[in-house]
């Protein structure tokens, strides 16, 4: 409010004069004048001081106070730009409708099996790229402001990171909900509320893993352009390890450990188990006998080298990746703040 904006000097100075005049006639100004008249130290009464019991840390407020105000400020930032939220939800609904129209009404035959498997993997790729690029510039863009506040001992790194990420979390729950709710019935995936809710949970976890990975790239990059350049090449290997383009049993030994960080692998296995795990022998119609036709859901899972008993493990690994990527992002942001100081 007190800044002098370029090309608006006269307007800004008028605003500043009004603010100063309003303060001069306010009760707090009269109180300050009375304190000064009595000979007391005005700075001791009215300047920011470290809180009692927290002064040794150098911060002016407690951890919870910092977290509350960063969360509140970040939430206001989201609310002040409702058009961005509407555009993201509308974009998600349009893409979901397009995918649903392309894969509309799949039947349980050999063609439908291939189409459904492709549609489920498309769920993962869409959620990944949409959410990674939605947050890949968040910390890079706000880094100068954050570093200034950090040097002023206003906020800790962890309170800023947690407040910022938690404020944006509702959007990354709403986006997969809209996407899954439209595409799931249109494609004709496994019927039943339980199967729908499982698919929704997996897609939501993928969206949040992708968001966490986007935070990691954003915090590790020195600029927005660097983050946008680094993002896609880093995601591609994880996408290949998802089991759709490369069979899980065919991953080279020297990339075996890297594949454990692929959220595509765990999510693809979980979605396929949810879709095909209860499909019994004979439920898949083999309309053309001259082509390979999986006669049951178990054969489909075995084709991908997926096991039904690994479902809980896949869900757990997705949760672990969310925490792991966010801890990595927090560590990178802490290193950036230390190096700048």
């Amino acid at each position: 409010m007190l800044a002098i904006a370029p090309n608006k000097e006269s307007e800004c100075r008028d605003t500043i004069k009004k603010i100063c005049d309003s303060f001069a006639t306010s009760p707090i100004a009269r109180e300050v004048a009375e304190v000064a008249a009595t000979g007391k130290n005005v700075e001791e009464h009215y300047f920011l001081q470290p809180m009692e019991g927290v002064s040794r840390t150098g911060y002016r407020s407690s951890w919870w106070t910092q977290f509350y105000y960063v969360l509140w400020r970040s939430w206001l930032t989201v609310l002040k730009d409702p058009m961005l939220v509407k555009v993201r939800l509308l974009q998600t609904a349009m893409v979901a409708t397009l995918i649903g129209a392309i894969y509309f009404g799949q039947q349980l035959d050999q063609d439908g099996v291939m189409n459904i498997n492709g549609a489920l993997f498309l769920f993962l790729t869409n959620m990944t790229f949409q959410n990674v690029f939605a947050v890949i510039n968040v910390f890079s863009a706000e880094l100068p402001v954050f570093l200034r506040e950090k040097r002023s001992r206003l906020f800790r790194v962890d309170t800023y990171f947690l407040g910022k990420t938690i404020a944006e979390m509702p959007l990354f729950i709403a986006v997969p909900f809209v996407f899954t709710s439209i595409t799931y019935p249109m494609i004709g995936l496994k019927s039943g509320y339980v199967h729908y809710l499982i698919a929704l949970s997996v897609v939501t976890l993928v969206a949040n893993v992708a968001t966490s990975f986007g935070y990691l790239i954003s915090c590790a990059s020195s600029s927005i352009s660097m983050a946008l350049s680094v993002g896609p090449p880093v995601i591609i290997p994880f996408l290949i390890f998802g089991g759709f383009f490369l069979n899980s049993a065919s991953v080279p030994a020297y990339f075996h450990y890297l594949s454990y960080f692929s959220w595509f692998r765990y999510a693809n296995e979980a979605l396929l188990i949810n879709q095909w795990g209860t499909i019994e022998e004979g439920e898949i119609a083999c309309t053309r006998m001259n082509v390979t036709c999986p006669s049951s859901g178990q054969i489909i899972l075995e084709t991908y080298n997926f096991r039904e008993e690994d479902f809980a493990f896949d869900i757990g690994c997705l949760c672990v990746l969310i925490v792991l990527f966010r801890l990595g992002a927090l560590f990178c942001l802490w290193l950036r703040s230390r190096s700048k100081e």
Side-chain angles (χ1 to χ4, degrees):
M1 291 299 293
L2 299 176
I4 305 294
N7 302 322
K8 295 183 179 179
E9 288 82 358
S10 59
E11 298 175 19
C12 292
R13 294 188 189 282
D14 291 340
T15 302
I16 293 172
K17 187 175 185 303
K18 291 177 182 177
I19 293 173
C20 293
D21 292 343
S22 298
F23 174 77
T25 59
S26 65
I28 187 70
R30 291 193 295 271
E31 188 178 329
V32 171
E34 292 173 2
V35 170
T38 58
K40 295 181 180 178
N41 188 351
V42 176
E43 293 187 7
E44 181 180 340
H45 285 78
Y46 295 102
F47 280 38
L48 285 174
Q49 303 292 332
M51 291 180 62
E52 184 179 353
V54 190
S55 58
R56 59 185 180 84
T57 66
Y59 292 99
R60 302 185 184 278
S61 59
S62 66
W63 190 95
W64 283 108
T65 302
Q66 295 175 39
F67 172 72
Y68 171 79
Y69 281 104
V70 173
L71 179 62
W72 178 247
R73 183 178 69 177
S74 301
W75 180 242
L76 286 180
T77 303
V78 175
L79 295 180
K80 285 181 179 179
D81 198 0
M83 183 56 66
L84 179 62
V85 177
K86 293 178 182 177
V87 167
R88 287 214 49 203
L89 293 177
L90 179 62
Q91 175 197 17
T92 302
M94 291 176 64
V95 172
T97 304
L98 178 61
I99 294 174
I102 293 173
Y103 289 94
F104 185 79
Q106 294 299 315
Q107 303 296 321
L108 282 185
D109 53 26
Q110 60 264 47
D111 295 332
V113 169
M114 184 184 72
N115 295 338
I116 288 173
N117 291 345
L120 290 175
F121 198 79
L122 193 57
F123 279 26
L124 309 181
T125 55
N126 180 69
M127 281 295 102
T128 294
F129 285 99
Q130 181 178 350
N131 289 289
V132 164
F133 287 100
V135 302
I136 203 168
N137 64 338
V138 168
F139 291 100
S140 300
E142 292 190 2
L143 189 62
V145 175
F146 164 69
L147 292 176
R148 185 173 69 240
E149 293 176 340
K150 175 71 166 51
R151 285 193 295 268
S152 301
R153 316 302 286 173
L154 294 178
F155 301 120
R156 300 162 58 99
V157 178
D158 52 351
T159 54
Y160 172 76
F161 181 83
L162 286 173
K164 188 71 180 171
T165 55
I166 291 176
E168 295 177 344
M169 190 174 292
L171 183 60
F172 298 114
I173 295 175
V175 166
F177 173 77
V178 172
F179 181 84
T180 308
S181 299
I182 294 174
T183 53
Y184 198 92
M186 289 185 69
I187 296 173
L189 299 177
K190 185 68 176 176
S191 60
Y193 284 108
V194 174
H195 292 285
Y196 162 74
L197 291 175
I198 290 174
L200 175 61
S201 301
V202 173
V203 174
T204 303
L205 285 174
V206 170
N208 282 274
V209 173
T211 302
S212 305
F213 190 73
Y215 288 145
L216 176 59
I217 295 176
S218 181
C219 292
S221 303
S222 57
S223 63
I224 297 176
S225 58
M226 180 181 175
L228 293 173
S229 301
V230 168
V234 176
I235 294 174
I236 295 301
F238 297 124
L239 186 147
I240 295 174
F241 294 143
F244 187 77
F245 299 106
L246 179 69
N247 195 284
S248 300
S250 303
V251 177
Y254 44 87
F255 281 129
H256 196 65
Y257 291 104
L258 183 61
S259 68
Y260 289 137
F261 293 95
S262 172
W263 57 94
F264 292 94
R265 168 185 172 178
Y266 304 118
N268 191 30
E269 184 173 24
L271 287 177
L272 290 182
I273 291 172
N274 180 57
Q275 174 66 27
W276 304 117
T278 57
I279 300 296
E280 301 294 339
E281 186 84 23
E283 291 189 41
I284 299 176
C286 295
T287 56
R288 296 193 304 274
M289 302 308 297
N290 61 336
V291 295
T292 303
C293 177
S295 57
S296 68
Q298 192 62 37
I299 293 177
I300 298 173
L301 296 178
E302 290 174 358
T303 304
Y304 287 93
N305 279 287
F306 291 157
R307 298 186 306 170
E308 196 170 346
E309 55 268 24
D310 287 342
F311 180 81
F313 176 77
D314 295 329
I315 299 299
C317 287
L318 289 174
C319 296
V320 169
L321 286 177
I322 292 175
V323 176
L324 193 64
F325 287 149
R326 297 203 178 207
L327 287 176
L330 177 60
F331 180 70
C332 290
L333 187 62
W334 178 78
L335 287 180
R336 298 287 298 279
S337 67
R338 296 278 293 182
S339 64
K340 293 296 182 181
E341 286 185 356

